[in-house]
Amino acid sequence: MSAATDERIQTRSRLRSAMIRPELGAVCGAILVFVFFFAIARDSGMFNLQGTMNWTVVSAQFAIIAVGACLLMIAGEFDLSVGSMIGFSGIVIAILSVQWGWPVWAAILAAFAVAIAIGALNGFLVIRTGLPSFIVTLAFLYILRGLTIWLSILTTRQTIIGGVAPLAEGDWLAWLFGGKLFGGLFVWMAENDWIATYTRGARTGQPIVDGIPMVIMWALALIVFAHILLTRTRFGNWIYASGGDAQAARYVGVPVNRVKILMFMFTAFCATVFATCQVMEFGSAAADRGLLKEFEAIICVVIGGALLTGGYGTIVGAALGALIFGVVQQGLFFAQAESSLFRVFLGTILILAVIFNTYIRRMITGER
Amino acid sequence: MKTLLLGAVALGLAVTGQPLSASAQETGGEQFVLISHAPDSDSWWNTIRNSIALAADELDVTVDYRNPPTGDLADMARIVEQSTAAQPNGIIVTIADFDVLSGPIRAAVDQGIPVITINSGTAEQSAELGALMHVGQPEHEAGRLAGIRAKEGGATSFLCVNHYITNPASVERCQGFAEGLGVELGNQMIDSGLDPAQVQNAVSAYLTANPDTDAILTLGPNSAEPTIRAVAEQGLGGDDIVFATFDLSPAIAQAIRDDVIDFAIDQQPFLQGYLPVVFLTNYSRYGVIPSNDVNSGPGFITVDNLDQVEALAGEYR
């Protein structure tokens, strides 16, 4: 008996340790949000296939940038250039493919290379100068947005570059970002009258929802990848350690600088995934795409229970934060709420989430 | 904690109190959605928001106004998709970017939702998408009607001050004006740039080099206001020259009052919000709708109707 109990280890009931997790707040929030909208917007089409696809796609877009922001925030840094990076990557793809005549796959790869290099530069500047990443990436928020507008006006005299869609047709890499999966399944379901079809026009009889957009697959893939990276690998521990206490982590041999720079690069990668999916879906890039997305990513992560100061948080939480954000944003439209009130709602949810998450964190860590 | 969550629900219910009753279908009041491309900060759209509220009130229908908060057109496309999924009785939407919006708008049309396009885009694009009609100001036609008006005032040659030369619509306005006047555009359009001092100097230089110019067209407050100063500097104004401008601003209104500007060309945004609601309501109730597109503008603002316009500025004008 006395050998089994160690006075230094506090005992907790299994239920309590299963329940009290960083993402508990986000889980409760997600349930609450669904119950809420199911109560007030059930008949609005929000929960039929088409409506579900609408808020799922929006949530998936948030999730893609939230995953990157979450890992970076756990590693103890911010990236405020995410939104500008989305605009920049999109314009790079459009200029290279439409204006310079590159094949679309090459343009996409080039955009990724440029974006990841800028991410590395962000990280390098933060590490080398010791300045807060808040300031360094704020600078890139302006630099990248300015470059985006300048480049697009320089090459096309417009801030919107269209014409990507015909070039992307049949391109293998473009499909990976703008394509749809399981089209056959949806046609089959439409043939059996299980899902709605177009009633007129050129697509009469075809299903309205004709597949799972790749943007959703990307979101799922990134969530799974980041979750495994964070919870199952040594590198994941390094991320937590770098954000928790960088100096202590260095003392025990964690390559903090490398971890942080890699996380900046990963954030840029996620932003470019977002941009590429958008450009491939809509067939055009615009210099004003992605405005304020950096804050939306951070909001998702914070709703998901991560700590702004780093070292604490989960990917599952961030993904749920993205889901909550997407459902609330689109759900308020379905509920016919006055659209100016969306931000009031968002701010309220953010405050409630942070209060609740702080409460949970104190229960977990035992801090007062 | 429980009270906190309950509080959140209560707040939510309070905010969205209206749809809880889900009264629309039950009482027969139709539901429409107007989707614009304008960011929250764009005050011009206030006129349209007021006009749809007025129409909704008069006709006992519901009209929701939706816009992408930052003006991101990709977000706008999602709003069009969302509105379609909610199956309203009609959608009113701007064609801010044909590439981005053609997919979602066509999907709405193909699901049998009546769509009217407004403001941005052309009647041709509207027809291509299968919309019922387009309500907007055709730029070339607006320029042409202004040109005819200037011709009646005795003008035979003109200067078009183009501060936004990369925008094709700007060039169309100048070309239309030339056509209305019955002359070739030729070198009468100058690329003035946006800087006020630069615009003023460019206009002064042109008027000095071409002293027999007897009409001026400016394309908005950005080119009109420096041009007002240039004209004053040259001692022109009054009956010497026909001065017309697109759009209205306080400085333009004052210049109309001072007899420097003869008339302002107004695209009458009120009609772009009000008329589609009226048309869609009658289409939904009685199946009737005019078969042609509607030119909401040009309306002309002169010293004769300036008082009324100024009284309603920002509200309905």
Side-chain angles (χ1 to χ4, degrees):
Chain A
M1 175 72 187
S2 60
T5 49
D6 184 335
E7 62 180 6
R8 290 169 299 177
I9 297 175
Q10 191 188 355
T11 52
R12 276 181 185 164
S13 76
R14 193 169 292 174
L15 179 70
R16 187 179 157 93
S17 53
M19 284 293 298
I20 308 297
R21 299 177 51 79
E23 61 266 29
L24 176 64
V27 172
C28 294
I31 294 171
L32 203 67
V33 160
F34 275 106
V35 168
F36 175 61
F37 282 110
F38 199 75
I40 66 163
R42 191 173 50 243
D43 301 326
S44 65
M46 181 172 173
F47 294 102
N48 66 21
L49 183 64
Q50 197 186 354
T52 305
M53 196 54 85
N54 181 258
W55 53 255
T56 309
V57 166
V58 172
S59 298
Q61 286 185 316
F62 286 134
I64 286 172
I65 47 174
V67 165
C70 183
L71 286 188
L72 185 65
M73 205 186 284
I74 293 174
E77 303 292 346
F78 271 117
D79 189 350
L80 294 185
S81 66
V82 168
S84 299
M85 183 69 85
I86 289 170
F88 182 74
S89 304
I91 285 290
V92 168
I93 293 173
I95 288 177
L96 290 183
S97 60
V98 178
Q99 297 295 316
W100 290 16
W102 287 26
V104 173
W105 60 266
I108 293 174
L109 290 180
F112 270 101
V114 173
I116 290 172
I118 294 171
L121 178 63
N122 259 334
F124 183 76
L125 284 174
V126 169
I127 298 294
R128 266 303 152 96
T129 60
L131 291 170
S133 51
F134 187 90
I135 297 299
V136 172
T137 56
L138 185 62
F140 272 88
L141 180 154
Y142 287 105
I143 293 171
L144 288 178
R145 183 65 67 193
L147 273 180
T148 307
I149 297 171
W150 180 73
L151 279 175
S152 65
I153 289 183
L154 184 73
T155 49
T156 63
R157 298 210 298 169
Q158 287 178 345
T159 55
I160 300 179
I161 306 181
V164 183
L167 300 172
E169 247 170 73
D171 189 282
W172 59 276
L173 194 58
W175 180 84
L176 203 58
F177 290 92
K180 287 184 174 176
L181 280 181
F182 310 121
L185 176 68
F186 283 87
V187 169
W188 179 72
M189 288 198 289
E191 280 164 359
N192 285 295
D193 276 342
W194 293 345
I195 57 175
T197 54
Y198 286 108
T199 52
R200 60 184 190 182
R203 287 175 290 175
T204 305
Q206 291 177 25
I208 291 167
V209 176
D210 57 357
I212 309 277
M214 289 305 286
V215 64
I216 295 178
M217 307 314 286
W218 270 102
L220 292 177
L222 283 170
I223 290 167
V224 170
F225 166 77
H227 181 70
I228 291 174
L229 179 75
L230 204 53
T231 56
R232 298 267 182 275
T233 68
R234 188 173 60 168
F235 192 82
N237 283 337
W238 288 355
I239 296 175
Y240 276 116
S242 304
D245 186 334
Q247 206 50 46
R250 282 195 187 94
Y251 288 148
V252 296
V254 174
V256 172
N257 293 356
R258 201 171 82 202
V259 169
K260 289 193 171 183
I261 292 177
L262 275 171
M263 287 304 99
F264 274 107
M265 292 162 74
F266 183 66
T267 313
F269 172 84
C270 290
T272 310
V273 170
F274 182 108
T276 313
C277 288
Q278 203 174 58
V279 171
M280 292 308 140
E281 180 180 352
F282 294 120
S284 74
D288 60 356
R289 294 274 163 80
L291 276 176
L292 293 183
K293 289 283 182 259
E294 55 279 338
F295 291 111
E296 293 175 356
I298 290 171
I299 289 169
C300 292
V301 177
V302 169
I303 291 177
L307 204 54
L308 280 169
T309 46
Y312 185 89
T314 63
I315 292 296
V316 175
L320 286 169
L323 182 65
I324 292 172
F325 200 155
V327 169
V328 169
Q329 180 179 315
Q330 299 305 107
L332 286 178
F333 291 152
F334 280 106
Q336 291 182 285
E338 166 66 39
S339 58
S340 336
L341 289 175
F342 165 62
R343 288 161 199 232
V344 176
F345 228 77
L346 190 62
T348 311
I349 287 177
L350 187 60
I351 287 286
L352 289 177
V354 172
I355 293 172
F356 193 56
N357 287 334
T358 309
Y359 179 73
I360 294 170
R361 196 180 65 248
R362 286 186 183 151
M363 290 209 293
I364 295 174
T365 59
E367 68 185 278
R368 299 276 166 233
Chain B
M1 195 47 52
K2 207 171 188 178
T3 49
L4 206 61
L5 299 180
L6 283 175
V9 176
L11 176 73
L13 294 179
V15 168
T16 57
Q18 201 187 351
L20 254 185
S21 52
S23 58
Q25 269 89 16
E26 288 154 31
T27 60
E30 289 79 359
Q31 295 189 341
F32 304 109
V33 185
L34 188 149
I35 306 158
S36 88
H37 55 267
D40 286 346
S41 54
D42 190 339
S43 59
W44 189 86
W45 282 84
N46 233 1
T47 310
I48 289 187
R49 294 187 72 157
N50 290 336
S51 74
I52 59 174
L54 183 69
D57 216 34
E58 288 176 0
L59 297 163
D60 188 27
V61 298
T62 316
V63 188
D64 292 320
Y65 176 83
R66 303 264 175 263
N67 65 311
T70 60
D72 188 330
L73 296 183
D75 288 349
M76 182 185 173
R78 294 272 175 258
I79 296 174
V80 176
E81 290 171 357
Q82 179 279 322
S83 303
T84 307
Q87 296 284 326
N89 298 88
I91 292 177
I92 305 158
V93 62
T94 69
I95 316 177
D97 179 357
F98 190 78
D99 280 337
V100 173
L101 296 171
S102 59
I105 293 177
R106 198 171 283 135
V109 170
D110 288 350
Q111 287 173 57
I113 298 174
V115 173
I116 290 181
T117 60
I118 59 167
N119 189 259
S120 315
T122 62
E124 291 75 32
Q125 288 173 335
S126 176
E128 196 186 329
L129 293 173
L132 292 169
M133 66 163 68
H134 184 75
V135 181
Q137 170 171 271
E139 303 298 349
H140 188 272
E141 184 67 6
R144 196 178 70 86
L145 291 175
I148 290 173
R149 216 180 155 90
K151 192 177 184 182
E152 286 164 3
T156 53
S157 66
F158 79 113
L159 162 66
C160 181
V161 188
N162 191 340
H163 64 271
Y164 190 13
I165 198 119
T166 52
N167 180 10
S170 302
V171 182
E172 276 178 37
R173 287 175 169 183
C174 297
Q175 271 164 346
F177 195 88
E179 194 184 311
L181 214 53
V183 298
E184 286 293 313
L185 180 59
N187 292 329
Q188 298 181 101
M189 177 174 76
I190 57 169
D191 176 7
S192 68
L194 261 177
D195 179 66
Q198 202 185 332
V199 175
Q200 187 179 344
N201 290 335
V203 172
S204 291
Y206 185 94
L207 291 178
T208 310
N210 303 279
D212 50 351
T213 303
D214 47 19
I216 298 175
L217 176 69
T218 56
L219 302 186
N222 283 323
S223 49
E225 290 173 13
T227 304
I228 293 168
R229 283 194 297 276
V231 168
E233 201 180 77
Q234 300 255 330
L236 298 168
D239 297 330
D240 300 332
I241 205 158
V242 180
F243 187 168
T245 182
F246 278 84
D247 300 338
L248 196 66
S249 72
I252 292 175
Q254 190 55 46
I256 293 175
R257 212 172 280 290
D258 296 345
D259 199 23
V260 176
I261 292 182
D262 295 82
F263 60 90
I265 301 153
D266 182 11
Q267 65 168 299
Q268 305 186 120
F270 177 89
L271 295 177
Q272 298 176 5
Y274 186 85
L275 285 181
V277 176
V278 172
F279 289 151
L280 284 174
T281 303
N282 287 318
Y283 187 64
S284 171
R285 287 182 186 167
Y286 315 116
V288 293
I289 193 159
S291 56
N292 58 331
D293 296 305
V294 173
N295 295 347
S296 69
F300 295 104
I301 300 168
T302 63
V303 74
D304 300 328
N305 60 4
L306 189 61
D307 286 336
Q308 187 194 25
V309 172
E310 277 195 316
L312 294 172
E315 193 183 357
Y316 292 123
R317 295 300 297 260

